[in-house]
Amino acid sequence: QVRLVESGGGSVQAGDSLRLSCTPFRYSVGTTCMGWFRQAPGKSREKVASVDFYGGRAYSDSVQDRFTISEDVAGNKLYLQMDNLKPEDTGIYTCAATDSGHYCTGSFDYWGQGTQVTVSP
């Protein structure tokens, strides 16, 4: 059974940085599409970043140029580097992966439990 475990969340002030980590179990980073989602209080979940099998990266407009998704294939981890954080970045961040396919065009099949990120003004 595939599991995804996130870590690295916390409470920071606006302008600070955080790096989230995702450690998969029974899944290999770099084999399909992986992504980071967030859900802000009272809002629906949104995809903020993704990386496909070929290393192609995509970001939501709200985090473009501030967040960076990266993979450590040898260490089997996925990261989300978040710089210049803003209060509107507050939410639960969840790692996800697809079970097949090289591109991030379909739905995600595996989900972590999420890690809380809180950004104060």
Side-chain angles (χ1 to χ4, degrees), residues 19-73:
R19 188 177 78 158
L20 305 183
S21 300
C22 174
T23 303
F25 296 89
R26 295 191 177 186
Y27 173 89
S28 297
V29 169
T31 56
T32 64
C33 168
M34 294 193 77
W36 286 96
F37 290 73
R38 74 180 176 197
Q39 185 163 18
K43 295 186 177 181
S44 58
R45 185 170 57 195
E46 64 167 331
K47 183 170 63 176
V48 297
S50 63
V51 57
D52 64 29
F53 172 81
Y54 300 104
R57 290 161 172 75
Y59 300 93
S60 66
D61 290 343
S62 61
V63 307
Q64 183 76 47
D65 297 328
R66 297 188 299 120
F67 289 12
T68 304
I69 188 170
S70 63
E71 300 169 298
D72 176 359
V73 175

Side-chain angles (χ1 to χ4, degrees), residues 1-5 23-27 109-111 113:
Q1 180 177 347
V2 173
R3 286 177 57 219
L4 305 176
V5 180
T23 303
F25 296 89
R26 295 191 177 186
Y27 173 89
D109 303 287
Y110 308 116
W111 297 85
Q113 293 297 308

